[in-house]
Amino acid sequence: MLILVGVIVVAVVKYQNRYKKHLEEIEDLRTSYDRELLYAQLEIQERTLRTISQEIHDNVGQVLSLVKLNFFSIPPQADINVQNKVDLSKELITKAIYDLRNLSKTLNPDYLKKQLFSDLIQAELEILRRSGSFQTTFIANGSERSFESQKQLIVFRIFQESINNIIKHSKANTVSVTIDFNDDKADLQIKDDGNGFPLSQTEDHPRGTGIGNMIFRAKLIGASLDIASEVGSGCCIRLQIPKYKTL
Amino acid sequence: MLLSFVISAVFFKRDRDLRLISILLLLSVLTETIVYTRYILSNKTEVLYFIYHIFIPLEYLLLTMYLQKYVGSPFTRKVMLWSIPVFVLASLAISWSQHFRYPGWNVNAEGILLIAWVIIVLFTLKPDRSLFILELPVFWISVGLLTYFSGGFFFNFIYNSLLEKETTLASNLNWMINKVLNCLLYLLIIVGYLCLRRSLSRRY
């Protein structure tokens, strides 16, 4: 009788162990599938952005350059008002071409992968500063190392998403970005002095929402994303990115 | 037994694997009905053991066909299926040599094989994503078979000799051991079927 009970108990325990392993395998498969799906989505997204970037550069940029050329070929006007308008138009066209060129670059994944990450951050903060609505600071500590190109692209998109959120929702005046390059990881912090938001808003963000995408992209590259915020106290986003590109 | 058969009839269409158990329960009910009717008609002097010598190979066939579905190893499944004709012939040979008396040796031979298959099933059962082992019908049926065949093992060997020497004692022991084990077996089969009802509602 005891042997019988023993056999049954051992069988149940062994089944339970196999059951746990089975659940873990299913979870791994699910995670792997989600990862592949997201990579595919990101690839499609980046291809679209590349196409838009090329269209901006090849079509819109070219047209504006021709417009600029036409304006610069207008001889000086006797009427001061007309001349002022021509000069203003030249400035605006030049600014538009400059902004479009920057936009084209930040959309183009091939360009982003080749740049130093700190240069990309500074360029993005420069655009923010030129809008006149924000004061920005950027501090880079440690010696900069390159990320894997795909990882750099994903981290930069997370950074862009957080900047977009600051522009759209925070009503902040100051944005400060710090990046620490350590031996085995990089630590990126983005702080603003805006309205802030209750943290519970971030806990159930599904994929497809801005924060949801940030969290999922961070998981995809094995990074950890922490969001600290309180109403009235601004927001601090911290992204810890493991491992660099091995040269 | 009758209750387990009725419950199995209710679930007959809902699970393909358990249909074999349902058919087995039907055969069991028919066998016991025939044996008991003959026993009553003969004024309780004669037990038709001959019927059991036909029933036991059929029982082994159905149970092995059922259990082999839950074994992962193709080699083991083949061995189980090949054991069916081997056992049927061996059982008939034993029955002939024992002059169709109480089929103690047949039951024990069947028991040894079924205990082995049940242990293999219990230790190699593939995890079902949504169900714990205690919610699987095959678990309860296997435990029932394990209890029944291991419980009556030693008694089955000595029953025929005991019947010749101590008839009353043999009858009493037979009632105590076999009947109790039978009740336990059919109770666990019923639990298995009730788990089926639960598992069907939780699967997707």
Side-chain angles (χ1 to χ4, degrees), chain A residues 61-73 89 93 97:
Chain A
Q62 293 288 357
V63 168
L64 285 177
S65 296
L66 284 171
V67 170
K68 181 181 171 183
L69 218 59
N70 277 336
F71 267 109
F72 275 91
S73 67
S89 299
I93 288 282
I97 291 171

Side-chain angles (χ1 to χ4, degrees), chain B residues 4-189:
Chain B
S4 63
F5 168 64
V6 166
I7 291 172
S8 75
V10 169
F11 287 100
F12 188 77
K13 282 189 180 175
R14 299 179 77 179
D15 189 286
R16 208 183 249 182
D17 297 338
L18 280 174
R19 283 179 194 172
L20 292 166
I21 303 297
S22 301
I23 295 168
L24 174 63
L25 289 169
L26 173 63
L27 285 175
S28 303
V29 168
L30 287 173
T31 306
E32 292 300 326
T33 307
I34 294 169
V35 168
Y36 187 71
T37 308
R38 183 58 188 257
Y39 181 66
I40 296 296
L41 288 176
S42 69
N43 290 323
K44 301 185 183 180
T45 56
E46 192 184 322
V47 180
L48 202 59
Y49 291 126
F50 177 77
I51 293 287
Y52 290 122
H53 289 273
I54 300 169
F55 173 74
I56 286 165
L58 287 172
E59 181 185 51
Y60 182 76
L61 166 78
L62 291 166
L63 285 173
T64 306
M65 294 281 289
Y66 171 72
L67 290 171
Q68 61 87 25
K69 288 174 192 281
Y70 295 95
V71 172
S73 160
F75 174 73
T76 312
R77 270 208 302 273
K78 261 190 197 165
V79 168
M80 288 170 78
L81 290 171
W82 274 107
S83 74
I84 295 171
V86 171
F87 173 78
V88 170
L89 290 171
S91 178
L92 290 173
I94 293 170
S95 302
W96 186 266
S97 69
Q98 293 283 306
H99 308 291
F100 297 95
R101 291 187 296 167
Y102 177 79
W105 285 82
N106 305 65
V107 171
N108 276 350
E110 184 193 19
I112 289 169
L113 287 170
L114 284 176
I115 286 170
W117 305 150
V118 157
I119 288 174
I120 288 171
V121 164
L122 284 176
F123 278 81
T124 62
L125 203 53
K126 275 187 194 166
D128 187 304
R129 186 165 33 165
S130 56
L131 299 172
F132 183 49
I133 192 171
L134 295 181
E135 294 172 311
L136 298 173
V138 65
F139 171 76
W140 294 104
I141 292 171
S142 300
V143 168
L145 292 172
L146 197 60
T147 312
Y148 177 76
F149 285 106
S150 56
F153 191 76
F154 294 106
F155 177 75
N156 287 331
F157 272 128
I158 62 167
Y159 180 71
N160 280 325
S161 327
L162 198 62
L163 198 61
E164 283 166 12
K165 291 172 190 169
E166 302 273 348
T167 312
T168 313
L169 178 64
S171 298
N172 289 339
L173 279 175
N174 182 41
W175 188 88
M176 268 169 50
I177 295 170
N178 261 328
K179 299 302 179 251
V180 168
L181 289 175
N182 266 296
C183 282
L184 200 55
L185 170 65
Y186 293 118
L187 189 67
L188 290 171
I189 289 175

Side-chain angles (χ1 to χ4, degrees), chain A residues 16-84:
Chain A
Q16 191 59 8
N17 290 337
R18 287 200 302 277
Y19 182 71
K20 278 183 193 163
K21 219 184 243 182
H22 179 69
L23 288 179
E24 278 166 21
E25 281 170 6
I26 289 175
E27 195 53 41
D28 287 342
L29 279 172
R30 188 178 285 135
T31 308
S32 176
Y33 172 76
D34 284 344
R35 189 179 295 127
E36 290 300 323
L37 194 63
L38 186 63
Y39 269 125
Q41 286 172 341
L42 289 175
E43 180 63 33
I44 291 168
Q45 199 174 7
E46 295 303 331
R47 272 193 210 171
T48 307
L49 291 175
R50 186 185 289 118
T51 306
I52 293 170
S53 163
Q54 282 164 355
E55 285 296 309
I56 289 171
H57 182 267
D58 297 344
N59 289 336
V60 181
Q62 293 288 357
V63 168
L64 285 177
S65 296
L66 284 171
V67 170
K68 181 181 171 183
L69 218 59
N70 277 336
F71 267 109
F72 275 91
S73 67
I74 296 171
Q77 301 293 304
D79 188 337
I80 284 283
N81 288 335
V82 172
Q83 185 58 43
N84 285 343

Side-chain angles (χ1 to χ4, degrees), chain A residues 170-189:
Chain A
S170 72
K171 295 179 185 166
N173 296 316
T174 311
V175 177
S176 48
V177 179
T178 313
I179 185 160
D180 296 312
F181 293 99
N182 300 314
D183 287 337
D184 57 343
K185 61 177 181 176
D187 207 322
L188 174 68
Q189 276 194 48

